[in-house]
Amino acid sequence: MQYYFKKKFFKAIFLFHKFFTKTSRPLKGFYGIFLTPTYSDKTFEYYFKGTYGTRLSDWLANVEEELIFLDIGANQGLYSVLAGKNPAIKKVFSFEPNDAIVPLLLNNLKVNKIQSHEVIPAAISDQTGSLSLNTVEGHSGKSSLRTENNADEASVSSKTIQTINHVALNKRIPAQALNGIKIDVEGHEEVVLQELVKCDFFKQTQWIFCEIDEQWVNPENIYRLLKKEGFTRFERIGSHATHYDVLMCR
C-alpha cells in the first residue's frame, strides 16, 4: 500500500514538472536519486514514478559483500546509480550502446556523484563489431537487437551500434572480483548469457537479475545454461504470465 501511494505521489510530481515547470535541472524521483529530465521518454517517466518496482533497488541497497556490478542494458542509469550509492559495490560497469542515451547515463552518474564507474558504449553479443539496433521513438527502454519488433513500425528506426563479445569483455572486467549482474536487453538475454559464461570473471558471479519476456526468450534454456555453471536458485519476480524478472543465485 505504501508503494502504491508513493507511486501516485511521484506521478503527480512528474506531471507537474512535465506540463508546468518544464525544468531541465535534475529531479529527485521515487528511487531517491537525481535524474536528468527527458519528459518525452517513457523510461525517464518510469524511473521517476517508480514503475519498475522495488525488488532490484532494495537488493542493491542491501548488498553487504564487496563486489562489482555489471549493468547490461543500463539505459539512463537508474540501477547503475543505485548500485554506485552502496559503498559495498566498489565499481559499476554500465553497458549502453545507444549513443543518444549515453550522455544521459553519464550525466546521471555525475549528478549523483558516483565516482567509481565505467561506461562501455557497446552491446554484448556473440561478435565484436557492429549490429543494427531498433529504437522506438518515445521509449528508449524498448530498443532491441531483435530483427523483429512488435512496436508500431512508424515509430521504429534503426541505428548501427558497437558490439563486444566475451574476448573483449575479459579485457575489461577483473576476473578476481566478486560480481553481480543485471541484464535487460529486450530479447537478447540468452545471447548475452552465452557470452558471459565464457568469461573468466563469470566464475565469480554471485547473482544475476534478468528480465525475461517469453515472446523472445525461452527461460528454460537460460536455467539449463546457468545450472551447469553452479546456479541453484531461480526466483521469479512479477505476476505477469510471460513478462517478468528472475533473480538467479549460486
Side-chain angles (χ1 to χ4, degrees):
M1 188 63 70
Q2 181 181 2
Y3 169 65
Y4 173 82
F5 286 112
K6 186 177 178 182
K7 274 184 63 180
K8 290 292 186 183
F9 173 77
F10 279 100
K11 179 179 180 180
I13 297 297
F14 169 80
L15 293 172
F16 175 73
H17 285 299
K18 180 177 180 178
F19 293 109
F20 295 101
T21 73
K22 300 180 181 179
T23 182
S24 60
R25 64 180 176 81
L27 299 171
K28 185 177 283 190
F30 177 95
Y31 295 99
I33 63 172
F34 288 101
L35 299 165
T36 306
T38 50
Y39 299 111
S40 61
D41 186 7
K42 281 291 183 184
T43 299
F44 167 73
E45 180 181 343
Y46 292 168
Y47 279 4
F48 191 85
K49 297 190 309 185
T51 302
Y52 294 114
T54 60
R55 186 65 175 90
L56 180 51
S57 58
D58 288 347
W59 179 269
L60 291 170
N62 290 310
V63 168
E64 296 180 346
E65 190 173 31
E66 287 190 2
L67 51 75
I68 62 176
F69 177 63
L70 280 65
D71 189 357
I72 302 173
N75 203 283
Q76 297 166 42
L78 172 63
Y79 295 112
S80 291
V81 171
L82 291 173
K85 288 285 188 182
N86 184 337
I89 297 177
K90 296 304 180 181
K91 186 167 183 176
V92 175
F93 291 87
S94 306
F95 295 80
E96 176 50 53
N98 189 339
D99 59 5
I101 300 301
V102 168
L104 292 169
L105 167 60
L106 287 166
N107 198 56
N108 286 336
L109 288 162
K110 180 180 178 181
V111 298
N112 287 283
K113 301 179 180 178
I114 307 304
Q115 300 296 323
S116 186
H117 67 80
E118 181 177 345
V119 172
I120 300 174
I124 297 173
S125 196
D126 56 2
Q127 59 178 308
T128 292
S130 62
L131 286 173
S132 181
L133 179 73
N134 291 323
T135 62
V136 179
E137 183 180 354
H139 199 336
S140 59
K142 287 188 175 181
S143 297
S144 175
L145 289 169
R146 288 178 290 109
T147 54
E148 80 285 355
N149 199 303
N150 295 326
D152 179 3
E153 290 185 6
S155 68
V156 176
S157 59
S158 180
K159 63 166 55 183
T160 300
I161 54 99
Q162 298 302 304
T163 62
I164 58 175
N165 67 1
H166 69 280
V167 176
L169 270 175
N170 262 335
K171 298 175 182 178
R172 306 294 290 268
I173 310 300
Q176 71 277 12
L178 297 180
N179 63 81
I181 302 173
K182 184 222 84 179
I183 306 172
D184 183 354
V185 289
E186 300 299 299
H188 206 58
E189 288 81 7
E190 190 173 344
V191 175
V192 169
L193 283 162
Q194 287 170 346
E195 291 303 302
L196 289 174
V197 299
K198 299 172 188 174
C199 294
D200 296 334
F201 68 81
F202 193 76
K203 298 178 180 64
Q204 298 284 70
T205 300
Q206 305 302 294
W207 49 266
I208 301 169
F209 198 98
C210 185
E211 182 186 53
I212 298 289
D213 192 317
E214 293 183 10
Q215 295 181 82
W216 312 322
V217 174
N218 182 345
E220 293 304 320
N221 292 341
I222 290 174
Y223 300 157
R224 280 195 295 270
L225 177 67
L226 292 179
K227 284 176 181 177
K228 291 179 181 177
E229 300 297 322
F231 283 73
T232 59
R233 177 179 148 209
F234 300 85
E235 177 189 347
R236 177 169 166 160
I237 300 160
S239 58
H240 194 280
T242 60
H243 191 152
Y244 49 88
D245 297 311
V246 179
L247 175 62
M248 304 174 282
C249 302
R250 287 193 189 276

